[in-house]
mmCIF file of all heavy atoms in Angstrom:
data_model
loop_
_atom_site.group_PDB
_atom_site.id
_atom_site.type_symbol
_atom_site.label_atom_id
_atom_site.label_comp_id
_atom_site.label_asym_id
_atom_site.label_seq_id
_atom_site.Cartn_x
_atom_site.Cartn_y
_atom_site.Cartn_z
ATOM 1 N N THR A 1058 6.082 -14.141 3.380
ATOM 2 C CA THR A 1058 6.873 -15.355 3.582
ATOM 3 C C THR A 1058 7.861 -15.164 4.730
ATOM 4 O O THR A 1058 8.387 -16.132 5.267
ATOM 5 C CB THR A 1058 7.648 -15.713 2.300
ATOM 6 O OG1 THR A 1058 8.412 -14.570 1.890
ATOM 7 C CG2 THR A 1058 6.685 -16.113 1.194
ATOM 8 N N GLU A 1059 8.093 -13.899 5.091
ATOM 9 C CA GLU A 1059 8.980 -13.600 6.220
ATOM 10 C C GLU A 1059 8.298 -12.609 7.163
ATOM 11 O O GLU A 1059 8.751 -11.473 7.324
ATOM 12 C CB GLU A 1059 10.313 -13.031 5.733
ATOM 13 C CG GLU A 1059 11.134 -14.027 4.915
ATOM 14 C CD GLU A 1059 12.461 -13.436 4.486
ATOM 15 O OE1 GLU A 1059 12.702 -12.241 4.776
ATOM 16 O OE2 GLU A 1059 13.240 -14.159 3.865
ATOM 17 N N PRO A 1060 7.198 -13.021 7.789
ATOM 18 C CA PRO A 1060 6.498 -12.107 8.707
ATOM 19 C C PRO A 1060 7.323 -11.876 9.963
ATOM 20 O O PRO A 1060 8.242 -12.638 10.270
ATOM 21 C CB PRO A 1060 5.209 -12.854 9.026
ATOM 22 C CG PRO A 1060 5.571 -14.303 8.889
ATOM 23 C CD PRO A 1060 6.586 -14.354 7.775
ATOM 24 N N ASP A 1061 6.984 -10.834 10.680
ATOM 25 C CA ASP A 1061 7.650 -10.539 11.942
ATOM 26 C C ASP A 1061 7.231 -11.591 12.966
ATOM 27 O O ASP A 1061 6.053 -11.653 13.350
ATOM 28 C CB ASP A 1061 7.237 -9.134 12.409
ATOM 29 C CG ASP A 1061 7.942 -8.716 13.690
ATOM 30 O OD1 ASP A 1061 8.548 -9.583 14.357
ATOM 31 O OD2 ASP A 1061 7.879 -7.514 14.029
ATOM 32 N N PRO A 1062 8.162 -12.447 13.426
ATOM 33 C CA PRO A 1062 7.782 -13.519 14.363
ATOM 34 C C PRO A 1062 7.224 -12.991 15.678
ATOM 35 O O PRO A 1062 6.449 -13.679 16.347
ATOM 36 C CB PRO A 1062 9.096 -14.287 14.581
ATOM 37 C CG PRO A 1062 10.184 -13.340 14.183
ATOM 38 C CD PRO A 1062 9.600 -12.475 13.110
ATOM 39 N N TRP A 1063 7.613 -11.779 16.047
ATOM 40 C CA TRP A 1063 7.088 -11.164 17.276
ATOM 41 C C TRP A 1063 5.566 -11.141 17.231
ATOM 42 O O TRP A 1063 4.890 -11.335 18.241
ATOM 43 C CB TRP A 1063 7.641 -9.739 17.388
ATOM 44 C CG TRP A 1063 7.565 -9.105 18.737
ATOM 45 C CD1 TRP A 1063 8.552 -9.027 19.668
ATOM 46 C CD2 TRP A 1063 6.446 -8.391 19.305
ATOM 47 N NE1 TRP A 1063 8.118 -8.342 20.778
ATOM 48 C CE2 TRP A 1063 6.837 -7.940 20.584
ATOM 49 C CE3 TRP A 1063 5.160 -8.109 18.872
ATOM 50 C CZ2 TRP A 1063 5.985 -7.216 21.414
ATOM 51 C CZ3 TRP A 1063 4.307 -7.397 19.697
ATOM 52 C CH2 TRP A 1063 4.731 -6.949 20.958
ATOM 53 N N LEU A 1064 5.029 -10.943 16.002
ATOM 54 C CA LEU A 1064 3.582 -10.869 15.796
ATOM 55 C C LEU A 1064 3.015 -12.212 15.352
ATOM 56 O O LEU A 1064 2.057 -12.724 15.938
ATOM 57 C CB LEU A 1064 3.267 -9.791 14.763
ATOM 58 C CG LEU A 1064 1.813 -9.640 14.319
ATOM 59 C CD1 LEU A 1064 0.985 -9.038 15.457
ATOM 60 C CD2 LEU A 1064 1.716 -8.747 13.081
ATOM 61 N N SER A 1065 3.612 -12.782 14.325
ATOM 62 C CA SER A 1065 2.999 -13.946 13.663
ATOM 63 C C SER A 1065 2.930 -15.185 14.548
ATOM 64 O O SER A 1065 2.054 -16.032 14.368
ATOM 65 C CB SER A 1065 3.753 -14.269 12.373
ATOM 66 O OG SER A 1065 5.095 -14.616 12.657
ATOM 67 N N HIS A 1066 3.825 -15.298 15.526
ATOM 68 C CA HIS A 1066 3.814 -16.479 16.396
ATOM 69 C C HIS A 1066 2.644 -16.488 17.366
ATOM 70 O O HIS A 1066 2.293 -17.547 17.902
ATOM 71 C CB HIS A 1066 5.133 -16.567 17.182
ATOM 72 C CG HIS A 1066 6.281 -17.018 16.336
ATOM 73 N ND1 HIS A 1066 7.563 -17.159 16.822
ATOM 74 C CD2 HIS A 1066 6.351 -17.351 15.015
ATOM 75 C CE1 HIS A 1066 8.367 -17.558 15.840
ATOM 76 N NE2 HIS A 1066 7.655 -17.689 14.751
ATOM 77 N N VAL A 1067 2.051 -15.332 17.618
ATOM 78 C CA VAL A 1067 0.960 -15.278 18.603
ATOM 79 C C VAL A 1067 -0.361 -14.751 18.042
ATOM 80 O O VAL A 1067 -1.402 -14.912 18.677
ATOM 81 C CB VAL A 1067 1.345 -14.408 19.829
ATOM 82 C CG1 VAL A 1067 2.529 -15.007 20.556
ATOM 83 C CG2 VAL A 1067 1.632 -12.981 19.425
ATOM 84 N N ALA A 1068 -0.340 -14.123 16.869
ATOM 85 C CA ALA A 1068 -1.540 -13.441 16.365
ATOM 86 C C ALA A 1068 -2.414 -14.365 15.534
ATOM 87 O O ALA A 1068 -1.928 -15.097 14.663
ATOM 88 C CB ALA A 1068 -1.134 -12.225 15.536
ATOM 89 N N ASP A 1069 -3.713 -14.314 15.797
ATOM 90 C CA ASP A 1069 -4.697 -15.028 14.995
ATOM 91 C C ASP A 1069 -5.279 -14.029 13.987
ATOM 92 O O ASP A 1069 -6.135 -13.210 14.341
ATOM 93 C CB ASP A 1069 -5.790 -15.597 15.895
ATOM 94 C CG ASP A 1069 -6.781 -16.466 15.133
ATOM 95 O OD1 ASP A 1069 -6.809 -16.389 13.885
ATOM 96 O OD2 ASP A 1069 -7.538 -17.216 15.788
ATOM 97 N N PHE A 1070 -4.827 -14.122 12.754
ATOM 98 C CA PHE A 1070 -5.220 -13.140 11.735
ATOM 99 C C PHE A 1070 -6.684 -13.272 11.313
ATOM 100 O O PHE A 1070 -7.203 -12.409 10.606
ATOM 101 C CB PHE A 1070 -4.307 -13.263 10.506
ATOM 102 C CG PHE A 1070 -2.877 -12.872 10.771
ATOM 103 C CD1 PHE A 1070 -1.883 -13.830 10.902
ATOM 104 C CD2 PHE A 1070 -2.529 -11.534 10.899
ATOM 105 C CE1 PHE A 1070 -0.571 -13.476 11.148
ATOM 106 C CE2 PHE A 1070 -1.216 -11.160 11.144
ATOM 107 C CZ PHE A 1070 -0.229 -12.131 11.273
ATOM 108 N N SER A 1071 -7.332 -14.339 11.750
ATOM 109 C CA SER A 1071 -8.747 -14.507 11.410
ATOM 110 C C SER A 1071 -9.667 -13.975 12.508
ATOM 111 O O SER A 1071 -10.886 -14.090 12.408
ATOM 112 C CB SER A 1071 -9.058 -15.986 11.153
ATOM 113 O OG SER A 1071 -8.998 -16.717 12.374
ATOM 114 N N GLN A 1072 -9.065 -13.409 13.554
ATOM 115 C CA GLN A 1072 -9.853 -12.885 14.679
ATOM 116 C C GLN A 1072 -9.421 -11.446 14.966
ATOM 117 O O GLN A 1072 -8.679 -11.182 15.903
ATOM 118 C CB GLN A 1072 -9.638 -13.745 15.928
ATOM 119 C CG GLN A 1072 -9.930 -15.213 15.757
ATOM 120 C CD GLN A 1072 -11.416 -15.492 15.626
ATOM 121 O OE1 GLN A 1072 -12.239 -14.652 15.983
ATOM 122 N NE2 GLN A 1072 -11.764 -16.638 15.106
ATOM 123 N N VAL A 1073 -9.863 -10.516 14.127
ATOM 124 C CA VAL A 1073 -9.445 -9.121 14.240
ATOM 125 C C VAL A 1073 -10.645 -8.259 14.638
ATOM 126 O O VAL A 1073 -11.738 -8.397 14.075
ATOM 127 C CB VAL A 1073 -8.833 -8.608 12.921
ATOM 128 C CG1 VAL A 1073 -8.448 -7.134 13.030
ATOM 129 C CG2 VAL A 1073 -7.613 -9.452 12.539
ATOM 130 N N PHE A 1074 -10.408 -7.384 15.597
ATOM 131 C CA PHE A 1074 -11.417 -6.414 16.021
ATOM 132 C C PHE A 1074 -10.804 -5.024 15.911
ATOM 133 O O PHE A 1074 -9.646 -4.828 16.285
ATOM 134 C CB PHE A 1074 -11.877 -6.696 17.455
ATOM 135 C CG PHE A 1074 -12.640 -7.983 17.589
ATOM 136 C CD1 PHE A 1074 -11.966 -9.190 17.714
ATOM 137 C CD2 PHE A 1074 -14.025 -7.984 17.541
ATOM 138 C CE1 PHE A 1074 -12.664 -10.386 17.804
ATOM 139 C CE2 PHE A 1074 -14.732 -9.179 17.634
ATOM 140 C CZ PHE A 1074 -14.048 -10.383 17.764
ATOM 141 N N ILE A 1075 -11.580 -4.088 15.395
ATOM 142 C CA ILE A 1075 -11.073 -2.728 15.188
ATOM 143 C C ILE A 1075 -11.843 -1.776 16.093
ATOM 144 O O ILE A 1075 -13.058 -1.625 15.961
ATOM 145 C CB ILE A 1075 -11.190 -2.301 13.714
ATOM 146 C CG1 ILE A 1075 -10.321 -3.218 12.832
ATOM 147 C CG2 ILE A 1075 -10.774 -0.847 13.540
ATOM 148 C CD1 ILE A 1075 -10.416 -2.922 11.352
ATOM 149 N N SER A 1076 -11.118 -1.154 17.021
ATOM 150 C CA SER A 1076 -11.751 -0.201 17.935
ATOM 151 C C SER A 1076 -11.118 1.170 17.750
ATOM 152 O O SER A 1076 -9.990 1.302 17.268
ATOM 153 C CB SER A 1076 -11.601 -0.649 19.386
ATOM 154 O OG SER A 1076 -10.355 -0.254 19.917
ATOM 155 N N GLY A 1077 -11.864 2.174 18.150
ATOM 156 C CA GLY A 1077 -11.343 3.528 18.097
ATOM 157 C C GLY A 1077 -12.023 4.393 19.131
ATOM 158 O O GLY A 1077 -13.198 4.192 19.458
ATOM 159 N N ASP A 1078 -11.273 5.335 19.646
ATOM 160 C CA ASP A 1078 -11.718 6.235 20.704
ATOM 161 C C ASP A 1078 -11.946 7.611 20.103
ATOM 162 O O ASP A 1078 -11.017 8.207 19.549
ATOM 163 C CB ASP A 1078 -10.621 6.239 21.778
ATOM 164 C CG ASP A 1078 -10.812 7.300 22.856
ATOM 165 O OD1 ASP A 1078 -11.877 7.937 22.881
ATOM 166 O OD2 ASP A 1078 -9.890 7.479 23.669
ATOM 167 N N SER A 1079 -13.199 8.115 20.173
ATOM 168 C CA SER A 1079 -13.529 9.456 19.698
ATOM 169 C C SER A 1079 -13.236 9.605 18.197
ATOM 170 O O SER A 1079 -13.897 8.964 17.384
ATOM 171 C CB SER A 1079 -12.780 10.502 20.545
ATOM 172 O OG SER A 1079 -13.321 11.790 20.351
ATOM 173 N N ALA A 1080 -12.231 10.393 17.815
ATOM 174 C CA ALA A 1080 -11.880 10.479 16.393
ATOM 175 C C ALA A 1080 -11.503 9.097 15.866
ATOM 176 O O ALA A 1080 -11.804 8.749 14.718
ATOM 177 C CB ALA A 1080 -10.726 11.460 16.193
ATOM 178 N N GLY A 1081 -10.856 8.290 16.722
ATOM 179 C CA GLY A 1081 -10.537 6.923 16.337
ATOM 180 C C GLY A 1081 -11.786 6.095 16.098
ATOM 181 O O GLY A 1081 -11.795 5.194 15.251
#
C-alpha cells in the first residue's frame, strides 16, 4: 500500500524479464 514511488511510478510489474551473467 506504500510502495517506493521511485520504482512504482515507472515500473510495469506485469512485464518482468530475469537475466543473469555466468553464475547469474
Side-chain angles (χ1 to χ4, degrees):
T1058 54
E1059 295 182 357
D1061 183 347
W1063 198 98
L1064 175 71
S1065 62
H1066 285 179
V1067 297
D1069 185 344
F1070 293 105
S1071 70
Q1072 304 289 342
V1073 178
F1074 293 83
I1075 297 177
S1076 84
D1078 171 9
S1079 195

